[in-house]
C-alpha cells in the first residue's frame, strides 16, 4: 500500500500494459490506492480478469476498464485510444510494463545461449518489449501532448545499466555448469528503454509530458535456492526485493511529487549495480 496521500491521483486515469503479469498488478494497486482510475491491458484474458477482480474487491470506488490486446499491433492500440476518447476520457498516466522474459531450450537443454538463440523468440521479445512500448507511447503520448499534460513511466531493469552476472545461475558459481543463461534479449530491450525515455522526454517536454524510467532489481518468485543465495550476496542490502517495494516509486513518478523530473531513471536494485 502506498504511503502517499490517498487522493494524490484522484481524478487521474492510468493505463498499464502487461497488467496481468508479476509487477503489473502491483502498479495497478499502488495507483488505485491513491485514487487513480485504471485502464488495464494484457494479452491474457484470464490474468486480466483475475487482476481486475482483486483490484475491485479492494478499491470499489475507482473505475476500471480492461482490454485484451497485443500491444505490438498499432491498430489494436489505436482502437483502444479511440474508445477512450469516445467515452470522453483521457489517459493521464501510461505505464509501459509489458515484456517477455523467455526460457529457450536448445537441443542440449541449455537455455538462453547466444549461440543458439531462437530468432522467432528474439523477434517476439522485441515486438512486445520495444515496439509495443513505442506504439503505446506514440498513441497515448500524442493524447497527452494534445492535452499539454501527462506522465509516461517505462519499466526498465537494473540489467539496463549492467550486464547480468551469469554465474548466479550456477550452483558452483562457474560458467561451466550453467544450465540457464539470462537471455540477451531482455537486457537489450531494457537498455533501449532508457534511450526511448530520454528521447520522448525531450520530444514532448515542451508539451508538459514527463517521461521517466524505473529500473527495478530482482523479485524472488520461487527461484532455485542457489540462485536465491547467489543474488543475495551480490546485493548491498543482502536480499531480494519484496513484491510491494516498487509501489511508492510508481506513485512518485506518476504524481506531482516528481513534477520537475523528466528523462531520468530511478535505480532500485538493493545496491547490486554498485
Amino acid at each position: 500500500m502506498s504511503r502517499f496521500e490517498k487522493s494524490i491521483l484522484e481524478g487521474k486515469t492510468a493505463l498499464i500494459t502487461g497488467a496481468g503479469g508479476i509487477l503489473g498488478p502491483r502498479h495497478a494497486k499502488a495507483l488505485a490506492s491513491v485514487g487513480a482510475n485504471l485502464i488495464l491491458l494484457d494479452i491474457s484474458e484470464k490474468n486480466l480478469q483475475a487482476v481486475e477482480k482483486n483490484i475491485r474487491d479492494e478499491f470499489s470506488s475507482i473505475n476500471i476498464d480492461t482490454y485484451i490486446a497485443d500491444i505490438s499491433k498499432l491498430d489494436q492500440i489505436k482502437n483502444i485510444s479511440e474508445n477512450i476518447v469516445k467515452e470522453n476520457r483521457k489517459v493521464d498516466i501510461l505505464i509501459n510494463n509489458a515484456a517477455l522474459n523467455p526460457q529457450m531450450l536448445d537441443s542440449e537443454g541449455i537455455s538462453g545461449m547466444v549461440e543458439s538463440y531462437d530468432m522467432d523468440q528474439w523477434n517476439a521479445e522485441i515486438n512486445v518489449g520495444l515496439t509495443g512500448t513505442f506504439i503505446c507511447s506514440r498513441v497515448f503520448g500524442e493524447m497527452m501532448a494534445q492535452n499539454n499534460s501527462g506522465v509516461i513511466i517505462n519499466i526498465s531493469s537494473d540489467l539496463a545499466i549492467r550486464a547480468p552476472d551469469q554465474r548466479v545461475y550456477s550452483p558452483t558459481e562457474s560458467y561451466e555448469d550453467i544450465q540457464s543463461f539470462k537471455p540477451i534479449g531482455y537486457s537489450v530491450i531494457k537498455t533501449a528503454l532508457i534511450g526511448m525515455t530520454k528521447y520522448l522526454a525531450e520530444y514532448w517536454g515542451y508539451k508538459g509530458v514527463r517521461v521517466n524510467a524505473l529500473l527495478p532489481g530482482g523479485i524472488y518468485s520461487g527461484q532455485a535456492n542457489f540462485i536465491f543465495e547467489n543474488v543475495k550476496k551480490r546485493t548491498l542490502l543482502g536480499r531480494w526485493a519484496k513484491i510491494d517495494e516498487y509501489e511508492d516509486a510508481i506513485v512518485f513518478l506518476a504524481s506531482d511529487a516528481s513534477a520537475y523530473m523528466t528523462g531520468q531513471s530511478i535505480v532500485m536494485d538493493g545496491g547490486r549495480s554498485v
Side-chain angles (χ1 to χ4, degrees):
M1 186 69 67
S2 171
R3 298 172 180 84
F4 284 83
E5 182 181 337
K6 303 306 180 187
S7 60
I8 192 173
L9 290 177
E10 188 173 352
K12 301 291 186 179
T13 296
L15 188 151
I16 304 170
T17 69
I22 295 175
L23 280 178
R26 309 306 302 195
H27 303 330
K29 180 180 178 181
L31 297 178
S33 73
V34 291
N37 297 312
L38 301 175
I39 300 173
L40 307 178
L41 271 62
D42 202 276
I43 200 166
S44 169
E45 181 177 9
K46 179 181 177 181
N47 290 354
L48 201 56
Q49 289 177 343
V51 173
E52 180 184 10
K53 182 182 184 303
N54 288 338
I55 298 295
R56 286 191 187 280
D57 287 347
E58 189 168 354
F59 305 100
S60 58
S61 63
I62 68 166
N63 295 322
I64 304 176
D65 292 323
T66 61
Y67 291 93
I68 302 164
D70 179 349
I71 64 169
S72 69
K73 307 297 184 185
L74 178 60
D75 58 340
Q76 292 188 27
I77 300 305
K78 279 187 172 181
N79 287 339
I80 292 171
S81 175
E82 290 168 2
N83 286 338
I84 292 170
V85 172
K86 285 178 183 177
E87 295 172 0
N88 294 317
R89 300 176 63 191
K90 61 187 177 71
V91 174
D92 303 291
I93 302 154
L94 168 65
I95 301 184
N96 286 312
N97 175 74
L100 297 181
N101 189 12
Q103 292 294 315
M104 297 164 291
L105 297 176
D106 66 12
S107 58
E108 298 180 356
I110 300 176
S111 70
M113 294 185 69
V114 170
E115 295 87 342
S116 55
Y117 211 84
D118 186 297
M119 293 310 300
D120 289 337
Q121 186 61 57
W122 167 272
N123 290 330
E125 291 178 74
I126 296 293
N127 283 340
V128 174
L130 196 54
T131 301
T133 295
F134 170 66
I135 287 173
C136 289
S137 297
R138 166 182 163 173
V139 171
F140 299 112
E142 180 183 9
M143 181 187 296
M144 294 175 186
Q146 290 172 350
N147 293 316
N148 294 301
S149 177
V151 174
I152 298 174
I153 304 170
N154 293 321
I155 305 301
S156 181
S157 167
D158 61 335
L159 295 183
I161 58 171
R162 65 172 181 85
D165 184 346
Q166 303 288 0
R167 293 170 297 179
V168 304
Y169 306 110
S170 161
T172 63
E173 299 183 74
S174 167
Y175 287 102
E176 281 69 28
D177 60 2
I178 296 173
Q179 293 298 306
S180 180
F181 288 85
K182 186 69 176 181
I184 188 173
Y186 188 84
S187 291
V188 169
I189 291 164
K190 295 303 186 181
T191 302
L193 289 185
I194 295 180
M196 190 183 299
T197 296
K198 294 178 179 180
Y199 185 100
L200 295 178
E202 192 281 334
Y203 186 79
W204 278 318
Y206 80 105
K207 285 288 191 177
V209 179
R210 298 189 297 109
V211 189
N212 292 295
L214 177 64
L215 281 58
I219 300 171
Y220 180 69
S221 56
Q223 290 87 344
N225 187 64
F226 71 87
I227 297 177
F228 177 74
E229 295 298 332
N230 287 345
V231 170
K232 275 178 58 178
K233 66 185 180 183
R234 287 170 169 80
T235 305
L236 296 187
L237 296 182
R239 63 177 179 84
W240 293 60
K242 299 174 185 176
I243 189 67
D244 62 350
E245 286 192 296
Y246 301 113
E247 294 182 13
D248 280 346
I250 289 294
V251 176
F252 169 74
L253 290 172
S255 71
D256 284 344
S258 58
Y260 196 55
M261 179 179 177
T262 195
Q264 304 303 313
S265 298
I266 292 181
V267 182
M268 294 184 67
D269 66 349
R272 188 175 171 192
S273 58
V274 174

